């Protein structure tokens, strides 16, 4: 009992219309890596927000005992002072500031009340080395991609003297390599005496490094598993309340049909980062086919997708795009949409969703045309549509009138995917569609993808989860530094082959 | 005897049911009210202000004549607040609207007086001038990419200068045009007066109520066809009665005096069009999407540029309309016409619940917001309070309204 660094007792937290936590008990031992898992909307993030003072004392009921003392955190500042740092699911960096400024934001290194920039840069560099992020600390955060930003967040947390590190889905935006680095990092920190609580939907990570694991479902603690009890099947069973034996639904082998989309020597130059992001890309997509784009983060997969999808970031583009054999060059996403090409962004918060609007408005926004007559929206039909997706992929929300801000991360992601699906395209580009989604819901989305493929839709899928990409794709392109470094058939597509091409 | 006892028991049960019913009715009402306090807050504020001034002026405030004047004073601000709502919704601001209004008024006066252009022709012409001015701001913001604050600040100075240019040779320009006169203070024809009341006003009021009841009823019926949640019937009826009574009492109040003014008609038409556009149409939804998250809107196939052009042009057009109403009210074009008006318009929008962070705001809210601000001024003037007090109170109310708005934002909403 005495070596519990943290004990949360009978925690209950309600939001209007939702009981997010219902008498949750949660214990973490000194110096362990403790995973917190559960379905989307189970209450994981909420529990951690209660712990770290984001929901101040009085906002919930129950008791928090940290380092042997009862704690009543009223803010993050207070929990940090006690030695507790949280990295949220939604990144909290200032895009316009440099990396080093961000790392030491709100705990600046000072000498006689004046910020010591040299020391700051020096220390920031050290932290960046620890998280193996190879960027100039003077770069602005907005110029980094999501994955790199996540690493900056971790560096920032490490720069505070933490004894308990809380990570809410830190690897959701990372690829295999970087995730592995991060896991190794946690193991190393453990040796230095740092305890970690980590939320993740990637069960492989749990089996790899967890010392123990707590499963919550619908705001209730279901089980706490010791290292020797941790098995994927067991976790899944506790998470969803039933057994899932097949993570990827089967689809018959693809029989080639006509080419629907083809790119010829697409090049894209990004002025904002002064970088050529796509180099001579030639890809093709056939009817009813899923083509995967594999690669490391920042390899240029999203950039290629955006170059096809009407170029919203105003890259300087050359090359040609052929749709059903006809040359088209979309100059705005609207044109692509009209021609039946849709892109679902990897970054749901900043590019995918309108967080201030409700679930139904977000689902319908890209395809209001189909819900309206003479420009007037049929709001009743809109409700029907939203209810359908809520049911189909199990979006957990008290109602479709709920503002998106109030949904859990995974459920927001489901809305983002629903929006893409509802625009009913011929060609759907899914960029990290299952980021932050639980195993059960992933299965639902894969099933939906298979259904759409059956109906003749063609899909380009970008994913950093290689197993998912290998299982779902009929064919794969590997992208590295903006170039297509290889094309692999279903049979050739193995983990090793992909990694070889990705690091070429 | 037994029969008597039975009967008594039945009556008692009925009364018991009745009590339970009343309790349920009011608790339901309370829930609906609490969940929608954000929407009702503005109306409650307005009613409170009305009651307050009616008491402090011993009833003078609520005389038909003063309510009529109040509407005349609010008209041009209200119309422009409608446009400003959309500007703020898409995360911009427009400081040029006061000067545009003044400029459009000046041009109209010059056209009518100096060039003898008939007003039916001159009015559409100057509305186009307003539209064009708005389009230019839109161009600077959407195409050139400068902040709207700067672009419109430039416009504010430039159009003020142009007013001086237009009126240089004539000085302040008085008008004597029947149409302009009607816009400024005229009312719709009465046909005849019944029981001392303006007949056409009464007819329009009653027709309006019928239309309102019919359309709300139809919406509810459609929802029920879909099996969606609707208000319980008793609450629904209570809502209909309440709103109808409100419309009816204002109608009667105005009918007792000169009836509906053309100003009121213009405001109602503008609000109806914009309310419909923002709530029911694809265009409206696109505007809110751009305000809520421009990047997401762009990736949803919405052209942020086009929406920006549209919203600024509409603001220009409404500034033009406001300018005409302003000119008509004074019946003369002056060098200072519309000075500071932009701030009153912006205040109306903010008091009405428009969020500076974008994506949230209702045109009806802004009109009520404008009316709240105008009522305060009007009431305080009737109480003979000095302009120092008037300004302090206006400032405090503006900030208080926004505080209320921010604090109630995260409360749950249900359909009412
Ligand atoms: N601010 C809020 N207002 C209303 N409801 C909320 C709010 N935040 C969370 N919820 C609700 O509380 C529940 C738990 O949410 P939480 O974010 O903790 O889930 P989670 O387990 O972290 O899920 P995910 O895996 O998707 O991140 C969800 O049903 C969510 O809709
Ligand atoms: Mg979460």
């Amino acid at each position: 009992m005495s070596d519990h660094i943290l004990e949360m007792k009978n925690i209950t937290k309600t939001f209007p219309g939702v009981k997010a936590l219902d008498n949750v008990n949660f214990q973490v031992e000194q110096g362990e890596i403790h995973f917190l898992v559960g379905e989307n909307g189970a209450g994981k993030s909420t529990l951690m927000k209660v712990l770290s003072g984001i929901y101040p004392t009085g906002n919930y009921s129950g008791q928090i005992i940290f380092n042997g003392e009862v704690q009543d955190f009223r803010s993050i500042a207070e929990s940090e002072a006690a030695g507790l740092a949280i990295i949220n699911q939604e990144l909290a960096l200032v895009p316009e500031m440099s990396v080093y400024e961000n790392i030491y934001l709100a705990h600046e290194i000072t000498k006689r009340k004046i910020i010591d920039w040299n020391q700051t840069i020096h220390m920031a560099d050290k932290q960046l080395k620890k998280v193996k992020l190879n960027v100039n600390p003077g770069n602005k955060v907005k110029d980094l991609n999501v994955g790199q930003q996540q690493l900056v967040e971790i560096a920032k947390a490490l720069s505070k003297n933490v004894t308990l590190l809380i990570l809410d889905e830190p690897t959701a935006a990372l690829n295999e390599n970087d995730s592995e680095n991060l896991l190794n990092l946690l193991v190393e920190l453990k040796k230095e005496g740092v305890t970690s609580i980590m939320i993740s939907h990637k069960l492989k990570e749990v089996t790899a490094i967890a010392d123990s694991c707590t499963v919550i479902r619908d705001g209730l603690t279901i089980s706490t598993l010791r290292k020797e009890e941790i098995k994927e099947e067991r976790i899944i069973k506790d998470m969803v309340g039933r057994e899932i034996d097949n993570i990827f639904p089967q689809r018959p082998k693809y029989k080639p049909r006509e080419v629907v989309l083809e790119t010829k020597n697409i090049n894209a130059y990004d002025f904002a980062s002064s970088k050529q992001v796509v180099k001579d890309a030639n890809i093709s997509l056939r009817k009813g086919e899923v083509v995967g784009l594999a690669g490391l983060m920042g390899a240029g997969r999203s950039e290629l997708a955006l170059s096809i999808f009407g170029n919203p970031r105003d890259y300087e583009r050359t090359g040609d795009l052929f749709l059903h054999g006809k040359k088209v060059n979309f100059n705005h996403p609207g044109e692509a949409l009209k021609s039946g090409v849709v892109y679902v962004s990897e970054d749901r918060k900043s590019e995918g969703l309108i967080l201030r609007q409700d679930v139904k408005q977000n689902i319908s926004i890209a395809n209001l045309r189909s819900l309206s007559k003479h420009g007037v929206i049929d709001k009743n039909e809109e409700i029907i549509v939203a209810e359908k997706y809520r049911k189909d992929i199990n979006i957990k929300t008290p109602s479709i009138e709920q503002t998106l801000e109030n949904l859990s991360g995974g459920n927001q992601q489901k809305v983002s995917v629903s929006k893409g699906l509802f625009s009913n395209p011929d060609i759907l580009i899914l960029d990290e569609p299952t980021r932050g989604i639980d195993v059960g819901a992933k299965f639902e989305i894969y099933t939906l993808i298979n259904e759409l493929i059956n109906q003749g839709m063609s899909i380009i899928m970008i994913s950093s989860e290689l197993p998912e990409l290998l299982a779902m794709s009929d064919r794969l392109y590997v992208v590295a530094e903006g170039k297509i470094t290889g094309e692999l058939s279903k049979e050739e597509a193995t983990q090793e082959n992909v990694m070889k091409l990705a690091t070429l | 005897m037994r029969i008597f006892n039975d009967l008594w028991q039945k009556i008692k049960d009925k009364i018991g049911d009745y009590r339970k019913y009343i309790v349920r009715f009011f608790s339901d009402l309370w829930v609906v009210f609490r969940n929608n306090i954000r929407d009702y807050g503005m109306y409650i504020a307005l009613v409170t202000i009305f009651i307050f001034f009616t008491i402090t002026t011993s009833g003078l405030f609520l005389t038909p004549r003063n309510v009529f004047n109040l509407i005349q004073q609010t008209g041009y601000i209200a119309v422009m607040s409608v446009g400003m709502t959309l500007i703020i919704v898409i995360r911009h601001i427009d400081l040029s609207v006061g000067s545009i209004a003044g400029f459009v008024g000046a041009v109209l006066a010059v056209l009518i007086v100096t060039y003898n252009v008939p007003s039916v022709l001159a009015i559409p012409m100057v509305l186009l001038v307003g539209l064009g001015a708005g389009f230019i701001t839109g161009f600077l913001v959407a195409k050139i990419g400068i902040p709207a604050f700067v672009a419109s600040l430039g416009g504010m100075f430039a159009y003020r200068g142009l007013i001086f240019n237009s009126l240089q040779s004539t000085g302040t320009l008085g008008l004597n045009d029947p149409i302009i006169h009607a816009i400024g203070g005229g009312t719709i024809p009465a046909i005849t007066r019944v029981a001392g009341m303006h007949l056409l006003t009464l007819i329009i009021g009653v027709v309006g109520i019928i239309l309102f009841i019919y359309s709300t009823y139809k919406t509810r019926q459609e929802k029920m066809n879909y099996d969606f949640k609707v208000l319980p019937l008793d609450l629904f009826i209570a809502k209909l009665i309440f709103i109808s009574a409100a419309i009816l009492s204002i109608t009667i109040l105005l009918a007792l005096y000169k009836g509906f003014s053309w100003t009121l008609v213009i405001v109602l038409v503008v609000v109806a069009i914009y309310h419909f556009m923002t709530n029911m149409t694809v265009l409206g939804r696109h505007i809110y999407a751009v305000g809520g998250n421009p990047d997401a809107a762009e990736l949803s196939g919405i052209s942020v540029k086009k929406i920006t052009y549209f919203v600024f042009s509409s603001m220009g057009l409404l500034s033009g309309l406001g300018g005409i109403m302003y000119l008509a009210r004074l019946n003369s074009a002056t060098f200072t016409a519309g000075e500071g008006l932009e701030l009153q318009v912006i205040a109306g929008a903010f008091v009405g619940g428009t969020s500076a962070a974008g994506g949230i705001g209702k045109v009806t809210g802004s009109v009520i917001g404008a009316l709240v601000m105008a009522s305060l001024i009007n009431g305080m003037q009737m109480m003979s309070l000095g302009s120092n007090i008037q300004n302090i109170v206006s400032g405090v109310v503006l900030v208080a309204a926004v505080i209320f708005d921010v604090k109630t934002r995260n409360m749950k909403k249900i359909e009412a």
Side-chain angles (χ1 to χ4, degrees):
Chain A
M1 246 348 214
S2 57
D3 52 351
H4 282 155
I5 185 174
L6 171 74
E7 235 181 305
M8 297 179 80
K9 284 187 189 162
N10 301 325
I11 305 288
T12 298
K13 163 91 187 143
T14 52
F15 297 107
V18 187
K19 196 165 199 177
L21 297 173
D22 189 358
N23 266 312
V24 168
N25 288 300
F26 181 59
Q27 288 155 354
V28 178
E29 276 171 39
Q30 178 72 49
E32 69 169 350
I33 299 177
H34 195 124
F35 271 71
L36 189 56
V37 299
E39 286 182 301
N40 297 128
K44 306 177 295 291
S45 299
T46 305
L47 187 66
M48 291 303 103
K49 285 180 183 166
V50 164
L51 172 58
S52 55
I54 295 173
Y55 297 133
T57 178
N59 233 291
Y60 57 89
S61 69
Q63 201 178 37
I64 299 173
I65 302 169
F66 179 59
N67 278 335
E69 279 168 47
V70 176
Q71 307 281 359
D72 293 307
F73 299 132
R74 275 166 305 185
S75 66
I76 292 206
E78 287 192 13
S79 68
E80 265 174 14
L84 205 150
I86 184 168
I87 300 170
N88 274 306
Q89 194 165 8
E90 315 297 351
L91 300 183
L93 297 170
V94 186
E96 284 292 338
M97 283 189 179
S98 66
V99 170
Y100 65 83
E101 281 173 293
N102 265 288
I103 291 179
Y104 284 97
L105 189 66
H107 62 132
E108 290 79 3
I109 302 176
T110 54
K111 222 155 83 193
R112 284 182 233 100
K113 305 260 184 220
I114 293 168
I115 297 182
D116 183 345
W117 288 121
N118 289 332
Q119 182 66 10
T120 305
I121 296 171
H122 173 72
M123 293 297 290
D125 216 27
K126 264 185 160 173
Q127 307 296 354
L128 290 178
K129 289 224 170 66
K130 264 197 207 164
V131 298
K132 302 192 169 63
L133 176 59
N134 193 12
V135 299
N136 183 341
N139 283 359
K140 279 188 179 173
V141 162
K142 68 166 185 186
D143 295 333
L144 308 182
N145 63 33
V146 200
Q148 292 169 321
Q149 293 184 5
Q150 181 66 268
L151 290 178
V152 173
E153 275 272 22
I154 293 162
K156 178 177 171 183
L158 292 180
S159 72
K160 301 163 184 172
N161 278 327
V162 293
T163 52
L164 178 61
L165 185 61
I166 304 165
L167 303 114
D168 194 345
E169 296 191 40
T171 58
L174 304 190
N175 65 27
E176 309 257 318
N177 260 345
D178 295 309
S179 301
E180 212 172 296
N181 282 344
L182 176 78
L183 299 188
N184 291 338
L185 188 68
L186 289 187
V187 174
E188 258 166 57
L189 288 171
K190 181 168 95 174
K191 288 185 198 134
E192 291 170 29
V194 177
T195 312
S196 322
I197 300 172
M198 174 152 161
I199 299 178
S200 178
H201 288 293
K202 297 181 180 173
L203 301 183
K204 283 224 165 51
E205 299 173 354
V206 188
T207 49
I209 64 161
D211 296 309
S212 48
C213 165
T214 296
V215 183
I216 59 177
R217 190 199 314 153
D218 292 330
L220 298 163
T221 325
I222 300 296
S223 59
T224 295
L225 308 175
R226 316 257 92 243
K227 193 172 182 67
E228 54 284 0
E229 299 169 290
I230 296 175
K231 299 267 163 357
E232 274 195 39
E233 302 77 47
R234 174 68 200 277
I235 301 173
I236 293 175
K237 188 166 155 267
D238 285 354
M239 269 174 72
V240 299
R242 65 191 151 86
E243 290 185 44
I244 294 182
D245 22 76
N246 212 343
I247 298 180
F248 301 106
Q250 292 300 311
R251 193 170 69 228
K253 187 174 158 43
Y254 179 67
K255 290 195 210 71
R257 297 167 73 180
E258 75 273 19
V259 173
V260 290
L261 178 130
E262 201 170 6
T263 69
K264 289 248 163 76
N265 298 322
I266 289 203
N267 283 285
Y269 184 85
D270 183 16
F271 285 107
S273 62
S274 316
K275 225 175 88 182
Q276 182 158 3
V277 287
V278 181
K279 293 172 194 153
D280 284 323
N282 291 300
I283 64 167
S284 67
L285 175 68
R286 291 167 178 277
K287 194 170 172 70
E289 185 185 32
V290 179
V291 165
L293 293 185
L296 301 180
M297 75 183 176
R301 294 166 300 169
S302 305
E303 288 78 0
L304 173 57
L306 289 170
S307 305
I308 295 171
F309 184 66
N311 196 18
R313 289 194 198 148
D314 286 325
Y315 300 140
E316 185 67 36
R317 272 184 316 173
T318 61
D320 290 314
L321 177 64
F322 295 87
L323 198 66
H324 306 294
K326 262 206 304 256
K327 195 163 133 181
V328 288
N329 269 322
F330 305 131
N331 291 315
H332 186 270
E335 296 173 20
L337 265 146
K338 270 197 204 119
S339 305
V341 182
V342 163
Y343 169 77
V344 175
S345 171
E346 63 177 321
D347 190 347
R348 57 173 175 257
K349 198 178 171 194
S350 72
E351 291 185 341
L353 300 168
I354 303 165
L355 292 178
R356 301 184 123 198
Q357 292 189 351
D358 63 21
V359 174
K360 63 173 163 32
Q361 290 172 327
N362 270 284
I363 292 178
S364 66
I365 187 67
N367 192 13
L368 285 171
R369 226 165 294 277
S370 76
L371 290 176
S372 61
K373 223 184 191 165
H374 310 302
V376 179
I377 301 168
D378 185 337
K379 292 189 176 176
N380 294 325
E381 284 302 325
E382 186 180 31
I383 294 176
I384 299 268
V385 165
E387 288 290 1
K388 172 185 164 345
Y389 283 103
R390 166 153 99 148
K391 210 174 108 256
D392 277 2
I393 53 175
N394 200 5
I395 301 169
K396 197 179 167 208
T397 173
S399 90
I400 52 166
E401 260 102 42
Q402 178 78 305
T403 315
L404 229 61
E405 277 168 325
N406 296 336
L407 259 57
S408 80
N411 285 301
Q412 289 179 357
Q413 181 66 26
K414 291 183 199 170
V415 173
S416 175
V417 172
S418 303
K419 168 183 155 187
L421 296 179
F422 173 59
S423 35
N424 194 25
D426 299 330
I427 295 165
L428 180 60
I429 309 174
L430 293 170
D431 200 345
E432 307 283 359
T434 62
R435 173 175 290 172
I437 288 188
D438 68 54
V439 263
K442 269 182 191 162
F443 185 86
E444 309 294 334
I445 288 187
Y446 299 144
T447 311
L448 219 58
I449 289 180
N450 287 351
E451 253 170 52
L452 294 169
I453 289 295
N454 256 335
Q455 293 160 18
M457 195 186 283
S458 312
I459 293 178
I460 296 176
M461 182 161 168
I462 302 173
S463 173
S464 299
E465 272 186 61
L466 211 41
E468 161 182 290
L469 206 56
L470 295 177
M472 292 301 295
S473 311
D474 297 309
R475 200 154 52 87
L476 263 179
Y477 291 99
V478 185
V479 186
E481 291 176 13
K483 274 204 285 285
I484 307 276
T485 52
E487 179 184 347
L488 299 172
S489 67
K490 182 132 194 141
E491 291 72 34
E492 299 162 328
T494 61
Q495 195 119 2
E496 299 84 68
N497 284 345
V498 170
M499 286 324 290
K500 233 185 282 163
L501 289 166
T503 49
L504 219 57
Chain B
M1 206 54 197
R2 249 194 54 194
I3 291 173
F4 183 76
N5 264 344
D6 276 3
L7 204 62
W8 177 233
Q9 193 56 43
K10 265 191 191 146
I11 290 174
K12 268 210 315 213
D13 284 354
K14 270 269 150 55
I15 292 178
D17 282 354
Y18 194 61
R19 274 217 197 104
K20 258 188 244 151
Y21 173 78
I22 298 258
V23 169
R24 189 198 60 80
F25 179 81
F26 280 101
S27 77
D28 278 4
L29 190 65
W30 171 244
V31 170
V32 171
F33 175 76
R34 204 189 46 203
N35 287 333
N36 295 280
I37 185 143
R38 204 172 128 72
D39 293 341
Y40 300 154
M42 198 48 42
Y43 296 92
I44 296 168
L46 189 65
V47 171
T48 313
I49 289 169
F50 268 54
I51 294 175
F52 176 80
F53 284 126
T54 306
I55 294 170
T56 52
T57 59
S58 359
L60 274 182
F61 183 81
L62 210 58
T63 52
R65 183 195 165 87
N66 191 51
V67 172
F68 182 88
N69 284 340
L70 185 58
I71 289 171
Q72 297 308 102
Q73 286 161 8
T74 318
Y76 59 96
I77 303 175
V79 164
M80 289 164 71
S81 290
V82 167
M84 191 59 78
T85 312
L86 300 189
I87 297 271
I88 298 174
V89 161
I90 64 164
R91 305 179 175 197
H92 291 305
I93 197 77
D94 193 338
L95 298 173
S96 65
V97 298
S99 294
I100 292 179
F103 176 55
V104 164
V107 173
L108 181 58
V110 170
L111 281 178
I112 292 175
V113 177
T114 315
Y115 294 96
N116 285 320
V117 182
S119 46
V120 277
L121 263 180
I123 288 175
M125 281 165 74
V126 296
L127 283 176
L128 283 181
V129 170
L131 185 82
F135 186 86
I136 292 171
T137 322
F139 171 81
L140 292 172
V141 175
K143 187 84 180 182
I144 310 289
I146 61 172
F149 191 97
V150 178
S152 63
L153 187 62
M156 176 173 141
F157 290 127
Y159 295 117
R160 181 64 49 199
L162 285 174
I163 296 174
F164 279 73
N165 271 2
S166 322
L167 300 178
Q168 216 161 30
S169 49
T170 54
T172 297
L173 206 54
L175 284 110
N176 191 11
D177 183 276
I179 293 186
I180 299 294
H181 200 76
I183 295 175
T187 59
I188 56 174
I191 306 178
T192 174
R193 289 188 88 94
V194 179
M197 284 190 282
H198 193 276
L199 181 63
L200 189 56
T201 295
L202 283 182
I203 293 175
I204 291 177
V206 171
V207 169
I209 289 171
I210 292 169
L211 280 179
F212 163 73
I213 292 178
Y214 173 73
S215 77
T216 346
Y217 177 75
K218 211 180 94 191
T219 313
R220 182 186 146 92
Q221 219 51 34
E222 272 169 12
K223 284 210 176 261
M224 279 168 55
N225 286 344
Y226 278 97
D227 261 343
F228 295 158
K229 219 172 77 190
V230 291
L231 273 187
L233 188 64
D234 47 7
L235 281 185
F236 176 72
I237 291 173
K239 176 182 159 184
L240 285 187
I241 293 176
F242 184 78
I243 296 179
S244 305
I247 300 177
L248 191 64
S249 30
I250 293 172
T251 306
I252 291 177
L253 204 65
L254 291 173
L256 282 169
Y257 187 54
K258 292 200 248 172
F260 287 162
S261 61
W262 286 110
T263 300
L264 181 61
V265 173
I266 292 173
V267 172
L268 288 180
V269 169
V270 167
V271 170
I273 292 173
Y274 274 79
H275 181 73
F276 178 79
M277 193 262 284
T278 50
N279 278 300
M280 307 301 287
T281 69
V282 175
L283 175 63
R285 194 62 74 72
H286 284 184
I287 292 171
Y288 285 88
V290 167
N293 185 347
D295 292 330
E298 190 81 24
L299 284 185
S300 305
I302 301 166
S303 168
V304 175
K305 272 190 192 145
K306 277 188 197 154
I307 295 292
T308 310
Y309 271 115
F310 173 81
V311 170
F312 275 98
S313 304
S314 109
M315 180 75 256
L317 181 69
L318 292 176
S319 307
L321 185 58
I324 296 169
M325 293 163 81
Y326 190 95
L327 173 82
R329 236 177 91 68
L330 295 186
N331 225 344
S332 66
T334 64
F335 293 104
T336 56
E339 232 170 33
L341 178 56
E342 59 279 345
L343 299 181
Q344 284 174 285
V345 169
I346 292 169
F350 278 127
V351 169
T354 312
S355 157
I360 294 175
K362 288 183 173 177
V363 294
T364 44
S366 299
V367 169
I368 300 298
L371 188 57
V372 163
M373 297 305 272
S375 312
L376 282 174
I377 302 289
N378 177 294
M380 286 187 285
Q381 276 167 353
M382 294 194 92
M383 288 170 70
S384 330
L385 295 172
S387 62
N388 52 340
I389 306 272
Q390 290 175 27
N391 280 325
I392 293 170
V393 172
S394 299
V396 170
V397 167
L398 170 64
V399 174
V402 177
I403 290 174
F404 171 82
D405 211 62
V406 171
K407 290 291 169 201
T408 52
R409 176 153 303 149
N410 286 325
M411 292 175 81
K412 199 179 128 218
K413 265 191 74 164
I414 61 164
E415 281 291 294

